[in-house]
Amino acid sequence: MTPRGWAVLTLAGLLVALAVAAALLVPWQRPPAPRADQLAALRDLPADQVAHSRALRAALRPGRYTGLVVGLLVALALGLTPLGGRLVELAGRPFGGHWVAQAVLGGLAVVLVADLLTLPFSAWRHAVLTRYGLSVQGWGGWTVDLLKSYAVSAVLGAVVLLGFYTVTRLAPRWWWAVGAAGAAGLVALLSFVLPVLVEPVFNRFTPMEPGPLRTELMAMAARDGVPVKDVLVADASRRTRAVNAYVSGLGPTRRVVVYDTLLREATPAEVTSVVAHELGHARDRDVAVGTLTGALGAAAGVVALYLLGSARPLLRLAGVDSIAEPRAFPLLLALVTVAGLVATPVQAAVSRLVEARADAHALALTGDPATFEAMQRRLAGVNLADPDPPRWERLWSASHPSTVERMAAARAYARETGR
Ligand SMILES: [Zn+2]
């Protein structure tokens, strides 16, 4: 069998594995909370808060979607014309067009151009968030964070680009197999290792002061069968008013991280409710399942890129001979960008189901739907989330159930359990 035949077979195998994993591990059977409860919850929210949140979301929308379209158009313009390939050549020219320079500098140059052209939309977003008081970061701090994230991506990108083009040179007919394994490994690395390495670049973490809240959180985690080593507080208030918490690490390194903004804004019972939700993610191994499906998807993506990348019309548009050469990187990026847009609503739908399950876990663990609902109200107020966003936007990208869906879930739980 030819390498191409093996690639077709591998892709089929990966897609079957992905379908089986998705069928078994995604909580598909979770029905949404009754719409009547959702509408009742919406009526119970302060009208001025709802109007204010909706005004913010409306103000963000033009920049958000124009940015998305511009990002797509830039990726297509660089990838489906010889323009991107020329940029790669240009970046490699000071080094005599050496393939390493083309691969690393050329690749980074293409990403940088795409980033710079969509930068105005990020700045727009920051300006709107600042105007509505959601971001408390000045332009200086915003720029520093931006440069930090560029630096992190540049280092990571250089390693990936160098690795990828070394493999395509060493194994011109089999690179897709190594690339698929590498992409799967990279997803695992990003999900387990990077948070530990990158989190401290943006936030400082300090152990939570001993006291009743810390004792309660540790005890609840132990009771839930997901013991944690520590409860840490992140200094998120340096940049945002938004509140959050999460559980990170595995086994003996597992810890609960709480934003300082959450401690400032919410009552201890509400903090407990948020952490109970996060423990639900840890208990159901949502990060591990997400990593597994992400790794399978990334591996399938690389093989699909190899197969697509041998299509003559695409190569002709990009003015390259093979998808495996550094000058074809913009074409790869264009295909990845399109794939990302297709995957967005699928990932969002799965995420909403997983989040609804974590909510159900929080309700069962705390047995306190009243506090859960109060916390959802507060979250919506502080994060200025539209409590009941338009259906198309929810389907496109909402990673969590809406505020009214979550409040309605608490009401349904209270009804069922008589609490
Ligand atoms: Zn969650």
Side-chain angles (χ1 to χ4, degrees):
M1 197 154 57
T2 61
R4 206 182 148 73
W6 280 110
V8 172
L9 201 66
T10 306
L11 181 59
L14 285 169
L15 291 178
V16 168
L18 197 58
V20 170
L24 294 180
L25 299 173
V26 175
W28 299 108
Q29 66 291 354
R30 190 156 293 284
R35 185 65 187 158
D37 282 337
Q38 294 180 34
L39 292 173
L42 184 61
R43 279 193 299 274
D44 288 349
L45 288 168
D48 55 337
Q49 179 198 313
V50 173
H52 188 58
S53 305
R54 287 192 164 155
L56 166 64
R57 298 300 146 187
L60 285 172
R61 229 167 252 142
R64 180 174 175 204
Y65 294 106
T66 316
L68 214 64
V69 171
V70 168
L72 175 64
L73 291 179
V74 170
L76 293 180
L78 289 173
L80 297 184
T81 72
L83 216 61
R86 249 177 250 148
L87 183 60
V88 171
E89 269 171 29
L90 204 67
R93 196 167 292 164
F95 302 89
H98 195 279
W99 71 270
V100 172
Q102 281 197 354
V104 176
L105 298 179
L108 292 180
V110 169
V111 174
L112 185 67
V113 165
D115 278 350
L116 288 180
L117 288 172
T118 50
L119 185 60
F121 302 99
S122 308
W124 164 315
R125 181 183 163 74
H126 179 66
V128 172
L129 292 179
T130 306
R131 181 147 47 86
Y132 278 80
L134 205 54
S135 174
V136 293
Q137 202 174 27
W139 286 104
W142 179 80
T143 309
V144 169
D145 268 8
L146 190 76
L147 293 177
K148 275 185 191 170
S149 72
Y150 277 3
V152 170
S153 330
V155 170
L156 199 71
V159 172
V160 171
L161 286 164
L162 187 62
F164 178 69
Y165 287 108
T166 303
V167 171
T168 62
R169 281 176 70 84
L170 292 179
R173 284 153 56 84
W174 293 97
W175 62 261
W176 56 270
V178 185
L186 195 67
V187 169
L189 190 77
L190 288 180
S191 134
F192 292 125
V193 179
L194 205 72
V196 183
L197 292 179
V198 169
E199 277 170 6
V201 176
F202 294 95
N203 281 114
R204 274 186 43 214
F205 300 91
T206 42
M208 183 183 275
E209 306 258 317
L213 178 59
R214 184 177 185 279
T215 308
E216 163 64 17
L217 295 179
M218 301 280 290
M220 181 172 68
R223 191 167 80 230
D224 201 21
V226 272
V228 295
K229 184 167 157 260
D230 206 355
V231 182
L232 301 179
V233 179
D235 61 342
S237 58
R238 281 192 305 142
R239 71 169 59 82
T240 183
R241 278 186 55 216
V243 299
N244 202 1
Y246 57 92
V247 176
S248 75
L250 290 171
T253 67
R254 198 186 283 124
R255 62 222 184 124
V256 171
V257 177
V258 181
Y259 276 20
D260 57 352
T261 44
L262 179 64
L263 294 178
R264 206 171 299 167
E265 294 277 350
T267 66
E270 289 168 357
V271 175
T272 306
S273 182
V274 172
V275 171
H277 168 101
E278 299 305 326
L279 289 173
H281 285 312
R283 235 185 103 94
D284 287 311
R285 299 193 174 80
D286 290 337
V287 173
V289 170
T291 306
L292 173 70
T293 49
L296 286 171
V302 171
V303 184
L305 279 177
Y306 163 78
L307 292 171
L308 252 182
S310 49
R312 282 283 136 209
L314 279 178
L315 297 177
R316 211 172 303 130
L317 281 175
V320 294
D321 301 321
S322 152
I323 190 82
E325 59 177 288
R327 282 192 323 125
F329 174 70
L331 174 60
L332 271 184
L333 199 64
L335 294 173
V336 168
T337 304
V338 173
L341 286 179
V342 174
T344 298
V346 179
Q347 284 174 330
V350 170
S351 171
R352 286 195 300 276
L353 290 166
V354 168
E355 292 298 338
R357 177 171 64 183
D359 280 351
H361 180 81
L363 287 166
L365 181 59
T366 60
D368 185 0
T371 301
F372 181 92
E373 188 177 331
M375 186 61 221
Q376 293 308 322
R377 261 171 207 269
R378 191 190 294 280
L379 275 176
V382 173
N383 295 343
L384 294 181
D386 182 343
D388 190 29
R391 189 178 156 75
W392 63 269
E393 196 162 60
R394 257 190 2 244
L395 290 178
W396 165 245
S397 63
S399 62
H400 287 67
S402 69
T403 301
V404 296
E405 281 176 315
R406 302 177 89 174
M407 289 169 70
R411 290 174 184 205
Y413 172 85
R415 221 173 18 240
E416 280 157 25
T417 56
R419 282 180 209 266

